[in-house]
Amino acid sequence: MVILVMMADQPPPLEATPIMNEVPLLPHMVSGDSIQQVILVQVNPGETFTIRTEDGHIQCIQGPAHVPMMSPNGSVPPIFVPPGYVSQMVEENGVRKVVVLPHSSDFHPSMHPPPPHVPHYMHPHPALLPHPPHPVYSPVPGTGEIPPQFIHQPPPPPHVYQEQEPRSHGRANFIQRDERAVKMQEHLKKRLKERQASGHTNNKLNSPPSSPLKVHNSSNTNVQNGYGNGKGQQAACGIIKQKQTGKSRASPPADSDMGESDTESKKLYDLQLSIGKPVVSDVQARSAVLSWNLPVSSQNGESHGLTPATFIFEVAVSNSGKNGKFKSVYIGEETTITLPELRPATDYHVRVSATSNSIKESVSELVSFTTESCEPDPPAAPKLINRTKNSLSLQWKSSNDNGSKITNFLLEWDEVSPLFLQYKLTKLSPSTKYLFRVAAKNDIGMSGFSETIVPSPPLPPQLTEAGVTWLSLNWSPSNGMSSDDSLTYILDMEEEDSGYGFQPQYNGDELSCTLKNLRRSTSYKFRLSACSNEGKSNPSEVVEYSTFPDKPGPPSKPSVKGKIHSYNVKVTWDPPKDNGGSDISKYFLEMSETLIGSKWEVIYSGSMREHVCDHLKPGTLYRLRVYCISKGGESPASDVLTVQTSAVPPGPCRAPCLVGKAKPREITLQWDPPSTDGGSEVTEYIVEMANSEQEEHRLVYQGLTTECTMNSLLPGRVYCFWIRAGNKAGFGSLSEKAEISTAAGPPDQCCAPLLTCKAATCVVVTWESPACNGAEICEYRLDWGQMEGSMRIIYTGPGLSYEVKGLTPATTYYCRVQAVNIAGVGLFGDIGVVTTPASVPAAVSVLHLLEEDQMEIPCPLSTCLAIQWEEPCCHGSDVIGYNIEYGEKQLVTVGRVTSHILENLHPDTLYRIRIQAINNFGVGPFSHSIKAKTKPLPPDPPHLECVVFSYQSLKLKWGEGPSRALITNPTQFNLQMEDKFGRFVTVYSGPCHTYKVQRLNESTTYYFKIQAYNDAGEGEFSEVYTFTTTKSPPASLKAPKINQVGENICEITWEPLQSMKKDSIVYMLQLSCGREVDQVYKGSETSFRFTNFQKNREYRFRVCAGRQYQDSTGLQELYGPYSLSTVFSSQKQELVSQCTNSTAELATDKVLRDDKLAAFLLLLGFAVVAVLFAAVIQYFVIK
């Protein structure tokens, strides 16, 4: 156990010591004089601290806890330590600490020596004796009578008394001041009264509130000996409520005589409950599982079972002993819950109570358990206490050991002594940034690392001034930083809805910044970070500022919505394209009556974007414009809209009058303009007509002139006319009625004639006499034709019928009748339509012979003829077939086609062909005849033979005829050769009888076949012919070289040749001396020694290569051409060099002469070929 003893001017906050309220304050703590000092004793988890009160009683306080005591004279009281331990006092940052260590432990060199007034060894005081071990019962797995396992708690470790500084950012100076002591006492009295008044239901200092998490969750919250930040307080003893039902209720009071109340039952109701002892299982360092059985009810000595829905359970937990204060952690209907977020190495006591509406509350027996030990909590971040050029001195505070004594600390890369909370690092690099973190280690394991040393986060930046595209910010220095620390600030900004997050905008040591080029009326988020030699702080809280909006742009040009009325008009407009970043608050509509001038009047202001302008003058021009305002200001005015109100319709006109003399079907009317035009010029007049005043009016004229002519009237009829004037506003009222009659005229229009088909080619036409219109009809005219627009008159006379003959069957005819009297000719009547009945088809009019290139499917023209025709008129019944007559009245019937191939005809024969169509009514007439002649049969393939064999070409010949092509020769030939893929390809096609196949391989067999074709078609291919190329002779060798070996011996050498298709090569050396030629060597060697030659004579040597191969007749030899000659002169030795030079020159001259001759012959050959081609073209093509 480690006990920290601290002397301070004022006590630490009570919220930081949640267990301190359980220790009764000693009277001298609250009533001492001004020089008294507060001493805090820290009791670690799993250990017990024993004190003696003023009345002589001994009180045991279990850790973790902070026990406040008061020093009457302000000095450190004597510390009584057990045998084998020694107390030492150290001082850190002005704080004195008393450390109790084993006598054999090493003292850290950085600590001060112990003060002389504290003895090293003292007799143990009764108040510091270890607390006797108490039994801890393990969880019982059931409700049976199983004896619990008895486990002894280990004795507490040696005490270490430490004088600790208060938990604050500043450092406490131990200055004894009376005022501060009085304030401390008043504060303690106030907190004591609040704690006593709060009772059991609202005591936040006894135990932290229960966690709202669910049962299945586990807690990983670290607890530092029962004190720390707010999170540590809540996680120290929080219990999860599994299901909350009904209203929360406080824990039942736990009195010391609870066991007696359980045994002595008082009968409150007829039905009583009895709940068994709960069972604790799966005990971990920070959680445990609690379960219990359903209670058993009894009435009049009989037991009754209850369902879980009839009662509610309440679980209460205490960590301050069986007689301590219990905290209600669960109220619900479940019988199994999980107690998470417990303190490691801590004794807990749990009881369960069951209640119901009609049954008395029943409380179970207490069950006790101890949580397991675990690794320590992470220590606080190390602090820098001293700094030199190449060393740093760090200090950190101890953490909660969670039931197992801390053995050492781990400082990033070094393990530090377990009890010394400071360390000095040496041999560091100058002006280099280092980050440190500390972890504590005990027998269970190692805790997490502390936070790294960074400056405290600064306050968020404040807005100084804002504009449309800029924001000016300032901020204050970071709290807790001295004036010697050099700080730089990083300002991060995040634009609204940008998606890029925070981006750095400023980095410097200034305390203000102006950000420009921002978006107008946009919200920006800012946060500030401070950087020092220790590192970069966490960012400040995020603040949000916005730029101002800009002036909006002009609204759109106003437009007229709906119809423009005479006295009002509805105007609408669109919002500006650029609203300046803020919503438009109001629109203003201005109007001016004059086209030129600046007199504008506001006729509307509001948020709507349309307005009805009323009380206007008809036919007047108005100008309209709009502007708007927003938070950014007032916008410019929009474009001007010019609107003219509509005019009033004009007044009525006078009745029209007749102009000139009336005609039978035409009347000319005239009228005057109206007396009033309604404020707008008259744009048109409307003339309405009716046969009588009672009939419906119909429009007969519409125009601008005041005179019109009425056509298409009936002769001798009376008509009524009315006039109406109109302008832009509309038409006025009708004028008075005018009655005018027409003169007599031609007869009326005849009705449609009646048509009767007498036969397929004959129709009888009858008609009725129309109204004569005052004059007798003298004749009728019949118009007839196959089209409505191309009819002609075929009858004129007084009769009422006519018979039309010579018509085409199944044909539609049109006719109409016209009546004539002395007044004129009447109109043609309605058109009558008649269709003659169907009949046999007409004769085929078009019949011709198809050429070979016009046929879709090729056929032999020697035995077939292809004909084509056009389908004739079917005369009302579709053509179903055709009869084709050819030869000696041979007849063939085909279907409904327009072409046919006559097969199985005789070659080279003349045929006469005609055709007739067939339908359902019979056979039509024959068409005209055509003459066609079949072609002769295709020729047979000729015999193919090879007339010239070569090693790279074959000259083939076939048939009897000239070798060169003749245009007049109708027969042509198609020569094919098999390729390497086994396919026959055409190598020649033409009229010639010979062909030379070149670019062949030596000694290779080739396959050929030939075909003859002419105008009659292509003949059959011949059988396959086989021809083999000869072997190629060796190539010509270079001139041999001659070297004289001795006086009468010379050696002739030449270049060797490679073997040709595994055939051996032999060489033949020829010697010429004058006119004598002799063969001196034949063999496979490439050198030969010539002896016994005569003096002063000239010898010429040349060599040729030969190819030896085996065939059916035996060994054969094939020699190539001889090489150039080499001259050798058999003179004396001193003349050899000169002779050799002359011989070389002669050989060179001979080679040049041979080359010139070859070039001349080649040129001559080209000239002869050109002349021959010119002659052939002149003879065959031009002529």
Side-chain angles (χ1 to χ4, degrees), residues 636-649:
S638 65
D639 295 337
V640 177
L641 170 67
T642 302
V643 179
Q644 184 177 11
T645 56
S646 58
V648 178

PDB file of all heavy atoms in Angstrom, residues 636-649:
ATOM      1  N   PRO A 636     -29.316  47.140 -59.106  1.00  0.00           N
ATOM      2  CA  PRO A 636     -29.671  48.048 -60.202  1.00  0.00           C
ATOM      3  C   PRO A 636     -31.045  47.688 -60.763  1.00  0.00           C
ATOM      4  O   PRO A 636     -31.571  46.594 -60.552  1.00  0.00           O
ATOM      5  CB  PRO A 636     -28.550  47.824 -61.223  1.00  0.00           C
ATOM      6  CG  PRO A 636     -27.461  47.141 -60.478  1.00  0.00           C
ATOM      7  CD  PRO A 636     -28.117  46.365 -59.387  1.00  0.00           C
ATOM      8  N   ALA A 637     -31.606  48.629 -61.503  1.00  0.00           N
ATOM      9  CA  ALA A 637     -32.909  48.397 -62.119  1.00  0.00           C
ATOM     10  C   ALA A 637     -32.771  47.479 -63.311  1.00  0.00           C
ATOM     11  O   ALA A 637     -31.730  47.421 -63.973  1.00  0.00           O
ATOM     12  CB  ALA A 637     -33.542  49.724 -62.527  1.00  0.00           C
ATOM     13  N   SER A 638     -33.828  46.750 -63.592  1.00  0.00           N
ATOM     14  CA  SER A 638     -33.828  45.827 -64.713  1.00  0.00           C
ATOM     15  C   SER A 638     -34.055  46.576 -66.020  1.00  0.00           C
ATOM     16  O   SER A 638     -34.212  47.809 -66.045  1.00  0.00           O
ATOM     17  CB  SER A 638     -34.936  44.782 -64.510  1.00  0.00           C
ATOM     18  OG  SER A 638     -36.202  45.416 -64.554  1.00  0.00           O
ATOM     19  N   ASP A 639     -34.046  45.830 -67.132  1.00  0.00           N
ATOM     20  CA  ASP A 639     -34.371  46.414 -68.433  1.00  0.00           C
ATOM     21  C   ASP A 639     -35.831  46.855 -68.440  1.00  0.00           C
ATOM     22  O   ASP A 639     -36.676  46.305 -67.722  1.00  0.00           O
ATOM     23  CB  ASP A 639     -34.124  45.392 -69.543  1.00  0.00           C
ATOM     24  CG  ASP A 639     -32.647  45.033 -69.645  1.00  0.00           C
ATOM     25  OD1 ASP A 639     -31.823  45.855 -69.190  1.00  0.00           O
ATOM     26  OD2 ASP A 639     -32.331  43.938 -70.153  1.00  0.00           O
ATOM     27  N   VAL A 640     -36.109  47.850 -69.271  1.00  0.00           N
ATOM     28  CA  VAL A 640     -37.439  48.463 -69.296  1.00  0.00           C
ATOM     29  C   VAL A 640     -38.346  47.660 -70.212  1.00  0.00           C
ATOM     30  O   VAL A 640     -37.949  47.277 -71.327  1.00  0.00           O
ATOM     31  CB  VAL A 640     -37.348  49.925 -69.753  1.00  0.00           C
ATOM     32  CG1 VAL A 640     -38.737  50.553 -69.854  1.00  0.00           C
ATOM     33  CG2 VAL A 640     -36.485  50.719 -68.774  1.00  0.00           C
ATOM     34  N   LEU A 641     -39.558  47.399 -69.759  1.00  0.00           N
ATOM     35  CA  LEU A 641     -40.599  46.733 -70.546  1.00  0.00           C
ATOM     36  C   LEU A 641     -41.622  47.793 -70.971  1.00  0.00           C
ATOM     37  O   LEU A 641     -42.123  48.552 -70.134  1.00  0.00           O
ATOM     38  CB  LEU A 641     -41.277  45.640 -69.730  1.00  0.00           C
ATOM     39  CG  LEU A 641     -42.538  45.023 -70.344  1.00  0.00           C
ATOM     40  CD1 LEU A 641     -42.194  44.229 -71.600  1.00  0.00           C
ATOM     41  CD2 LEU A 641     -43.260  44.137 -69.323  1.00  0.00           C
ATOM     42  N   THR A 642     -41.896  47.834 -72.263  1.00  0.00           N
ATOM     43  CA  THR A 642     -42.897  48.763 -72.805  1.00  0.00           C
ATOM     44  C   THR A 642     -44.171  47.992 -73.082  1.00  0.00           C
ATOM     45  O   THR A 642     -44.155  46.986 -73.817  1.00  0.00           O
ATOM     46  CB  THR A 642     -42.382  49.430 -74.095  1.00  0.00           C
ATOM     47  OG1 THR A 642     -41.160  50.108 -73.798  1.00  0.00           O
ATOM     48  CG2 THR A 642     -43.396  50.432 -74.612  1.00  0.00           C
ATOM     49  N   VAL A 643     -45.272  48.450 -72.518  1.00  0.00           N
ATOM     50  CA  VAL A 643     -46.565  47.778 -72.629  1.00  0.00           C
ATOM     51  C   VAL A 643     -47.600  48.802 -73.091  1.00  0.00           C
ATOM     52  O   VAL A 643     -47.608  49.951 -72.612  1.00  0.00           O
ATOM     53  CB  VAL A 643     -46.995  47.158 -71.280  1.00  0.00           C
ATOM     54  CG1 VAL A 643     -48.355  46.493 -71.412  1.00  0.00           C
ATOM     55  CG2 VAL A 643     -45.968  46.161 -70.802  1.00  0.00           C
ATOM     56  N   GLN A 644     -48.429  48.396 -74.016  1.00  0.00           N
ATOM     57  CA  GLN A 644     -49.540  49.233 -74.478  1.00  0.00           C
ATOM     58  C   GLN A 644     -50.845  48.511 -74.178  1.00  0.00           C
ATOM     59  O   GLN A 644     -51.037  47.352 -74.567  1.00  0.00           O
ATOM     60  CB  GLN A 644     -49.432  49.527 -75.975  1.00  0.00           C
ATOM     61  CG  GLN A 644     -50.508  50.475 -76.476  1.00  0.00           C
ATOM     62  CD  GLN A 644     -50.345  50.807 -77.949  1.00  0.00           C
ATOM     63  OE1 GLN A 644     -49.555  50.166 -78.637  1.00  0.00           O
ATOM     64  NE2 GLN A 644     -51.079  51.786 -78.429  1.00  0.00           N
ATOM     65  N   THR A 645     -51.741  49.203 -73.507  1.00  0.00           N
ATOM     66  CA  THR A 645     -53.033  48.606 -73.172  1.00  0.00           C
ATOM     67  C   THR A 645     -53.882  48.455 -74.424  1.00  0.00           C
ATOM     68  O   THR A 645     -53.713  49.178 -75.414  1.00  0.00           O
ATOM     69  CB  THR A 645     -53.774  49.478 -72.148  1.00  0.00           C
ATOM     70  OG1 THR A 645     -53.907  50.803 -72.685  1.00  0.00           O
ATOM     71  CG2 THR A 645     -53.005  49.534 -70.841  1.00  0.00           C
ATOM     72  N   SER A 646     -54.758  47.481 -74.389  1.00  0.00           N
ATOM     73  CA  SER A 646     -55.603  47.208 -75.552  1.00  0.00           C
ATOM     74  C   SER A 646     -56.702  48.274 -75.677  1.00  0.00           C
ATOM     75  O   SER A 646     -57.116  48.892 -74.700  1.00  0.00           O
ATOM     76  CB  SER A 646     -56.246  45.832 -75.414  1.00  0.00           C
ATOM     77  OG  SER A 646     -57.007  45.754 -74.227  1.00  0.00           O
ATOM     78  N   ALA A 647     -57.132  48.439 -76.956  1.00  0.00           N
ATOM     79  CA  ALA A 647     -58.156  49.457 -77.242  1.00  0.00           C
ATOM     80  C   ALA A 647     -59.553  48.864 -77.109  1.00  0.00           C
ATOM     81  O   ALA A 647     -59.739  47.641 -77.072  1.00  0.00           O
ATOM     82  CB  ALA A 647     -57.959  50.016 -78.643  1.00  0.00           C
ATOM     83  N   VAL A 648     -60.584  49.749 -77.131  1.00  0.00           N
ATOM     84  CA  VAL A 648     -61.991  49.349 -77.051  1.00  0.00           C
ATOM     85  C   VAL A 648     -62.475  49.018 -78.461  1.00  0.00           C
ATOM     86  O   VAL A 648     -62.084  49.666 -79.434  1.00  0.00           O
ATOM     87  CB  VAL A 648     -62.824  50.482 -76.427  1.00  0.00           C
ATOM     88  CG1 VAL A 648     -64.298  50.102 -76.385  1.00  0.00           C
ATOM     89  CG2 VAL A 648     -62.311  50.794 -75.039  1.00  0.00           C
ATOM     90  N   PRO A 649     -63.305  48.003 -78.641  1.00  0.00           N
ATOM     91  CA  PRO A 649     -63.821  47.699 -79.986  1.00  0.00           C
ATOM     92  C   PRO A 649     -64.560  48.913 -80.577  1.00  0.00           C
ATOM     93  O   PRO A 649     -65.149  49.730 -79.853  1.00  0.00           O
ATOM     94  CB  PRO A 649     -64.772  46.528 -79.745  1.00  0.00           C
ATOM     95  CG  PRO A 649     -64.289  45.907 -78.480  1.00  0.00           C
ATOM     96  CD  PRO A 649     -63.779  47.025 -77.640  1.00  0.00           C
TER      97      PRO A 649
END
